[in-house]
Amino acid sequence: MTQPAALDELMTLVDPGKVLTDPESLQAYGKDWTRYYPPAPSAIVLPRTIEQVQAIVRWANAHRVALVPSGGRTGLSAGAVAASGEVVVAFDYMNRILDFNAFDRTVVCQPGVITQQVQAFAEEQGLYYPVDFASSGSSQIGGNIGTNAGGIKVIRYGMTRNWVAGLKVVTGSGELLELNKGLIKNATGYDLRQLFIGAEGTLGFVVEATLRLDRAPRNLTAMVLGTPDFDSIMPVLHAFQGKLDLTAFEFFSDKGLAKILARGDVPAPFETPCPFYALLEFEAGTEAVANEALATFEHCVEQGWVLDGVMSQSQTQLKNLWKLREYLSETISHWTPYKNDISVTVSKVPAFLRDIDAVVQAHYPHYEVIWYGHIGDGNLHLNILKPEHMSKDDFFASCTEVNKWVFEIVQRYDGSISAEHGVGMTKRDYLGYSRSPEEIACMKAIKAVFDPAGIMNPGKIFAPE
Ligand SMILES: Cc1cc2nc3c(=O)[nH]c(=O)nc-3n(C[C@H](O)[C@H](O)[C@H](O)COP(=O)(O)OP(=O)(O)OC[C@H]3O[C@@H](n4cnc5c(N)ncnc54)[C@H](O)[C@@H]3O)c2cc1C
């Protein structure tokens, strides 16, 4: 734990009252959405300026105190969890949009700006920030950059990385680096900005970001299609991708739909029960595009790939169809799910899912399993629900045993053990299934350059040695 004298010194580095040590704050700021590791930070510090962040880092180096960067704490890998007496650095008071350039289509944000705030700001300018997911009302830009967040629009717009034009970071030794300065073209050697995106706060703090915005999409329209089996989803994706520029292609299983309908506040898409559902979205800017979508739907029905379907005719219907997918993560959180967030190249998805499903069925016959995910990106979310009577520890221990078999399949398919949620603490023991020993050695060497004393988020990405 951090010594009281060191904490007294920390208090002199930030605004009055911005170091918190009361039990409620330690609980609230010490965890993320995983809620598995009991939070145990020494203190929470809330800087207001970049200079204060630098002073905190220098203080941490001097006292050998570990720092945990904290955003909206919606992370699903325990990346922002402080379970071992660390000091949490939270950005609630660095939450302003600083600048906007209509010509460059860029917006400059402090790290604590909420993702949805950027989306709303872009909309006010007649533009669009396309990184979007169910937690965007709580997650922060610093956390999104820390995890290289993906979400529901990746098939068209890519991950957070694609939208970061420039970054200011404070490294683990307290230096301020200004990376790429918003440029589109910059061929001057290593692009250090990219190293900080997805680094889960292990190299330093993101203290400012210049984000790109896009033109606003026109008349977004969604379809939900029911398929007779999982294999049919892929030819449906192929057929629609051949005709339309999709902005999303998601899937969920009948078990997932049942959980959503049981809430009572989301209408069923149609009557026909189907084992799997695809949700796709596109811009229906002209009637010709809408007609093309309907013709493709009919073709999929004729081929036997689709049993039933519905297309949104209004913004309300569009929103209701999205609720079927967007509410899933939060709805099933009631059953404390054990989550795997795995990916392979899109063409390998059907065989990959079949192999994983066989392992899961063999080892979890008594658990309820919910599949959903960003199937257009090859990203599957496998959720094992905890039986009501079972303790959280026993449940997680039994799920962890099966990870080995799941990740062996991931490795065999050249896939990733974490598609978009990060490694954090939950997946750190499995990094070797996706990265070679040589790659991991390079990653550790890079960390040592930016964080020589190892104070930045230790125990995340890499297991403690
Ligand atoms: C209901 C739900 C749905 C979700 N859906 C998706 C989805 O579709 N796609 C997806 O990608 N994720 C999804 N997530 C996961 C999560 O929302 C994202 O990972 C998000 O980017 C985390 O942002 P945050 O601000 O909450 O970060 P936190 O959880 O606070 O932190 C995440 C990581 O970033 C680091 N970090 C935070 N701030 C900084 C900073 N300023 N500088 C450096 N490092 C920092 C932390 O140390 C940690 O390692 C979902 C989560 C929930 C609860």
Side-chain angles (χ1 to χ4, degrees), residues 364-377:
Y364 298 125
H366 42 292
Y367 293 161
E368 197 174 359
V369 174
I370 308 261
W371 284 102
Y372 58 83
H374 315 292
I375 196 74
D377 319 323

Side-chain angles (χ1 to χ4, degrees), residues 32-33 68-76 79-80 91 111 132-135 138-152 200-201 204-207 325-326 329-330 374 381 420-421 457 460:
D32 69 359
W33 193 267
V68 176
S70 170
R73 296 180 297 284
T74 66
L76 296 172
F91 291 93
D132 194 15
F133 36 82
S135 54
S138 307
S139 75
Q140 298 180 359
I141 291 302
N144 295 167
I145 293 170
T147 54
N148 186 26
I152 53 179
E200 301 183 37
F205 292 97
V206 171
V207 291
R325 168 67 187 87
E326 282 283 79
S329 194
E330 207 184 321
H374 315 292
H381 294 321
E420 58 177 8
H421 294 164
N457 220 0
K460 314 295 163 51

Side-chain angles (χ1 to χ4, degrees), residues 6-58:
L7 283 184
D8 287 345
E9 190 185 324
L10 179 64
M11 285 179 203
T12 66
L13 305 177
V14 290
D15 292 2
K18 296 294 177 272
V19 176
L20 312 176
T21 52
D22 62 285
E24 293 78 36
S25 300
L26 297 182
Q27 277 293 314
Y29 283 92
K31 61 179 183 222
D32 69 359
W33 193 267
T34 49
R35 291 170 200 165
Y36 177 62
Y37 303 92
S42 289
I44 317 302
V45 59
L46 301 147
R48 212 179 260 285
T49 64
I50 293 176
E51 292 73 26
Q52 289 182 357
V53 178
Q54 288 181 280
I56 294 165
V57 172
R58 290 192 191 109

Side-chain angles (χ1 to χ4, degrees), residues 179-250:
L179 306 175
N180 200 55
K181 299 177 183 167
L183 297 170
I184 294 173
K185 295 183 121 181
N186 181 8
T188 53
Y190 308 137
D191 188 349
L192 302 182
R193 159 188 56 156
Q194 302 298 349
L195 289 176
F196 281 80
I197 304 172
E200 301 183 37
T202 59
L203 304 180
F205 292 97
V206 171
V207 291
E208 198 179 287
T210 302
L211 302 175
R212 290 188 217 290
L213 303 177
D214 203 21
R215 72 158 177 84
R218 294 179 195 106
N219 193 25
L220 284 175
T221 300
M223 275 183 164
V224 170
L225 310 175
T227 68
D229 46 40
F230 182 80
D231 281 3
S232 300
I233 291 182
M234 301 319 279
V236 172
L237 170 64
H238 199 65
F240 276 93
Q241 264 186 323
K243 298 289 179 189
L244 303 170
D245 286 331
L246 295 177
T247 51
F249 194 91
E250 303 280 307

